[in-house]
Amino acid sequence: GQDAIQYHFGTNFTSVTHPAVMTARRSRSIGPRVSRSLFARAIRVCRAHAKAHGRLPRLLTPRRFTDKMQWRKLFDFNPAFPTLCDKLAVRDLIAERVGCEYLVPLLWSGVPAEIPFERVAPPFVLKSSHASGQVIMVGRDEVLDAAAVRMRAEGWLSKNYGVARDEPGYEAVPPRLMIEQMLTTETGARPHELRLFVFDGKVAVINSVFVEDGRLRNGAFHTTEWTRLNWHFTRAITDRDFPKPTRLAEMIGVSERLV
């Protein structure tokens, strides 16, 4: 049912209040070598943004959400980011602030050679703890090629995701693997995923994500009152309904307590 809906906690953007001032302060505190490195990183970030959105980001006076995300990559060195980006370490923070009951059950963590395929029953999700998008979902009764999975996981851990993607929050995260229980509905299907975006301590927008042809799709955006917004990513989803979650108020409350 809807109570099985998986949801993510948003990010508080309070620290992006005065980007030009913060940029100037940090620019004076770094040496020539770091300045050159920052310049090269800024070029890569701008190119990637332009490729995805068809325009360059406004780095010194960010206004849009995507502009502020690029600003953060370059100028926001919040010491909390490595913990927030570490899928294992952040579990302790979540448990402390809102309780263990909101954590997906952790079945194992370690290195590829020690993955306990014989002891972990599907359905489960194998992922890296130091990156984004490195996931293997194992369904019920699915037969795995253990050697192939270990080889793929070794590749994940061999690369620094933060350096590769110009996201410094990930750079200090130790590369590890983890296995979590897969969340499913009563029928065994993958539930909708809700992403709650928090600004200045308050949830402002909720993004619904669903699975289509084995891939995640951004479906719809809603207000906290569940009024659908005329927003979309690469394509508008008009042939699908997104019913209001039965525990929406609880989700909003938990998200705001986290930040």
Side-chain angles (χ1 to χ4, degrees):
Q2 287 190 27
D3 288 347
I5 286 178
Q6 176 183 358
Y7 58 99
H8 287 249
F9 306 111
T11 305
N12 193 339
F13 278 86
T14 306
S15 64
V16 195
T17 308
H18 302 291
V21 174
M22 298 296 288
T23 300
R25 287 176 181 171
R26 290 195 171 97
S27 295
R28 288 195 296 268
S29 66
I30 58 181
R33 181 177 300 177
V34 179
S35 296
R36 288 193 295 270
S37 174
L38 179 60
F39 181 71
R41 175 177 283 181
I43 290 176
R44 292 194 299 269
V45 166
C46 287
R47 284 176 175 171
H49 185 276
K51 182 177 180 180
H53 299 282
R55 65 176 181 85
L56 292 172
R58 296 176 56 169
L59 292 179
L60 298 184
T61 56
R63 295 180 60 85
R64 300 185 182 187
F65 177 81
T66 52
D67 293 338
K68 294 184 178 184
M69 291 297 290
Q70 311 321 306
W71 183 92
R72 274 198 156 176
K73 291 179 184 179
L74 296 168
F75 305 119
D76 194 348
F77 303 104
N78 189 326
F81 285 170
T83 297
L84 298 176
C85 292
D86 186 332
K87 295 183 180 68
L88 284 170
V90 78
R91 292 174 62 88
D92 292 334
L93 183 147
I94 293 172
E96 177 184 344
R97 294 193 180 182
V98 299
C100 296
E101 64 270 25
Y102 293 104
L103 291 169
V104 177
L106 178 66
L107 307 180
W108 171 85
S109 65
V111 297
E114 299 173 357
I115 300 175
F117 291 112
E118 70 286 350
R119 292 191 289 107
V120 181
F124 63 79
V125 180
L126 171 68
K127 62 179 73 173
S128 67
S129 64
H130 73 299
S132 177
Q134 298 178 347
V135 177
I136 296 175
M137 308 194 74
V138 182
R140 196 179 305 277
D141 302 323
E142 186 172 342
V143 179
L144 277 180
D145 183 336
V149 170
R150 286 195 172 94
M151 183 178 298
R152 184 176 174 185
E154 289 280 6
W156 292 346
L157 302 194
S158 68
K159 298 177 182 177
N160 188 305
Y161 181 86
V163 173
R165 296 300 184 94
D166 290 308
E167 297 195 32
Y170 285 97
E171 289 182 13
V173 179
R176 295 172 289 180
L177 296 177
M178 57 191 295
I179 295 179
E180 291 179 327
Q181 178 181 318
M182 184 186 295
L183 300 181
T184 62
T185 64
E186 295 174 354
T187 62
R190 289 176 61 181
H192 286 175
E193 177 180 319
L194 298 183
R195 299 174 178 175
L196 289 83
F197 292 86
V198 180
F199 297 87
D200 296 325
K202 293 293 183 180
V203 173
V205 178
I206 303 169
N207 176 212
S208 298
V209 179
F210 65 96
V211 178
E212 181 182 70
D213 299 327
R215 299 179 60 187
L216 289 177
R217 304 287 187 186
N218 286 283
F221 290 89
H222 291 83
T223 67
T224 54
E225 291 77 31
W226 210 247
T227 299
R228 187 161 180 173
L229 301 169
N230 188 27
W231 298 1
H232 63 85
F233 278 95
T234 54
R235 66 184 178 94
I237 305 296
T238 59
D239 59 348
R240 182 183 291 263
D241 293 325
F242 296 89
K244 181 178 180 178
T246 57
R247 299 171 65 182
L248 179 61
E250 180 182 355
M251 293 178 182
I252 292 172
V254 169
S255 298
E256 293 177 350
R257 282 159 56 197
L258 266 177
V259 300

